[in-house]
Amino acid sequence: MTKEHRTRISQIGLSLLPSDVAASYIQSGENPNKNVFRSLIRNVTAWYEKLITPIEAEASEFRNSLTSNDVLLLKRARFLFHLCSVLPPLAYYFARGTLAVDRPPKFPATISFTIRKGMPKIIQTVLWTAGWVFMYRVIHRRTKLIAQEKKSS
């Protein structure tokens, strides 16, 4: 690596740091490369904590508001979403007659390739839609609760 590359990397590293930290490196004449990564990690960690804390609080509140019926609906939705990955490829590879999409089927094939048309596409669409119907029932109930709480306060 040439001196120009090292200088450019230092400038890029300095641009990622807060201005007061970058200024202290420039004033001291110290090579910032060895400390840039450490400072950058500290800054990213602080930013992440500010971002994730309210999300975790909201998620915890959401989980605490779930009823046993909600948990059952979520488990059913998860099961249907898992089936979306299994049943369409099985239908693609083992369909016979007029239901066959490709003869002979291509192997290996991605899930997106196997659900591009025919019966596998119908199966995937029906399962995916049914899973989201279960999810919607839980989310809809939760948003109704939030609206009621806002009205009462």
Side-chain angles (χ1 to χ4, degrees), residues 13-143:
L14 286 173
S15 69
L16 295 173
L17 294 174
S19 58
D20 57 335
V21 175
S24 69
Y25 282 125
I26 293 169
Q27 288 172 354
S28 69
E30 182 183 344
N31 181 357
N33 284 338
K34 57 186 166 187
N35 294 318
V36 166
F37 184 71
R38 202 173 300 136
S39 297
L40 189 60
I41 291 297
R42 268 190 247 116
N43 290 339
V44 169
T45 302
W47 172 81
Y48 178 77
E49 286 175 359
K50 286 180 188 174
L51 175 74
I52 204 70
T53 302
I55 293 172
E56 286 177 342
E58 187 73 25
S60 177
E61 181 184 336
F62 178 78
R63 281 191 303 272
N64 291 337
S65 72
L66 293 177
T67 64
S68 59
N69 187 44
D70 291 338
V71 172
L72 180 65
L73 289 172
L74 291 173
K75 286 181 179 180
R76 287 179 180 166
R78 180 182 61 193
F79 180 71
L80 289 171
F81 291 138
H82 287 311
L83 283 179
C84 283
S85 299
V86 177
L87 290 184
L90 289 176
Y92 173 78
Y93 285 115
F94 298 110
R96 300 284 180 245
T98 59
L99 297 178
V101 176
D102 293 328
R103 282 294 143 219
K106 295 177 181 18
F107 185 84
T110 62
I111 293 172
S112 60
F113 182 83
T114 62
I115 64 169
R116 73 191 193 288
K117 61 184 178 180
M119 187 54 72
K121 183 175 186 172
I122 294 168
I123 292 170
Q124 194 276 337
T125 303
V126 168
L127 290 171
W128 185 83
T129 304
W132 275 107
V133 167
F134 287 128
M135 291 287 294
Y136 173 77
R137 289 176 58 191
V138 174
I139 293 168
H140 180 70
R141 189 192 69 77
R142 176 66 184 134
T143 53

